[in-house]
Amino acid sequence: LLQMSSNHLRQRVVDLYKTLHYMGREYPVGAKWFHDRLKRAFLKNIGENDPQKISKMCDHGDFVVKELEAMYSLRKYRAMKQRYYDEQDEEEALERLRQFKKLATNPNEEPKDKNVA
């Protein structure tokens, strides 16, 4: 049972390392910087034998993976927003939303803009 658990944890650690290494390619500071820090972090804990501690560290690594995914998604969203939206367009969209809101609360009121209705 201990051997099976050990193999399972070893595979989990290897998978986590591969995932983080792959995700580090897009890191803003640079892939080399990220990979060096990743390797150092894993080598620091290479002698750990307690399955509970290893599992806890893997859970923390999974959290880091999710944080990186969130950071990359936010970066892509901001880049796309910067490319496709102008501040003036944003203001016009907000004004249309305000008019829709007024129409929802006062359905008998005529809209100022013909495009809203």
Side-chain angles (χ1 to χ4, degrees):
L1 184 65
L2 183 60
Q3 184 66 24
M4 190 174 115
S5 176
S6 175
N7 287 338
H8 173 72
L9 282 175
R10 177 174 165 66
Q11 188 59 48
R12 186 173 174 203
V13 169
V14 170
D15 289 343
L16 177 63
Y17 185 84
K18 286 180 180 180
T19 301
L20 286 168
H21 194 272
Y22 178 79
M23 294 184 79
R25 296 180 317 154
E26 296 180 39
Y27 200 72
V29 178
K32 179 163 178 25
W33 181 88
F34 184 89
H35 293 151
D36 290 344
R37 300 279 301 243
L38 175 67
K39 185 175 181 178
R40 224 179 312 145
F42 273 77
L43 286 176
K44 184 177 85 174
N45 296 307
I46 199 166
E48 186 60 58
N49 292 323
D50 183 15
Q52 289 179 333
K53 285 185 180 179
I54 294 172
S55 182
K56 189 174 181 180
M57 286 188 274
C58 284
D59 291 341
H60 181 70
D62 292 337
F63 171 77
V64 171
V65 167
K66 289 178 184 166
E67 287 292 312
L68 285 171
E69 287 172 346
M71 182 181 70
Y72 294 158
S73 294
L74 183 61
R75 185 176 66 184
K76 288 177 183 177
Y77 167 77
R78 285 179 177 164
M80 191 171 63
K81 184 178 177 188
Q82 188 177 20
R83 271 188 218 117
Y84 295 109
Y85 290 106
D86 192 8
E87 281 187 35
Q88 183 180 1
D89 293 340
E90 195 171 329
E91 288 299 320
E92 289 172 6
L94 285 173
E95 183 57 37
R96 277 187 257 133
L97 282 173
R98 287 186 202 106
Q99 290 176 2
F100 278 129
K101 204 177 215 181
K102 280 183 183 178
L103 281 176
T105 55
N106 300 327
N108 297 332
E109 186 177 317
E110 285 294 316
K112 293 178 188 175
D113 189 5
K114 300 291 184 202
N115 297 332
V116 173

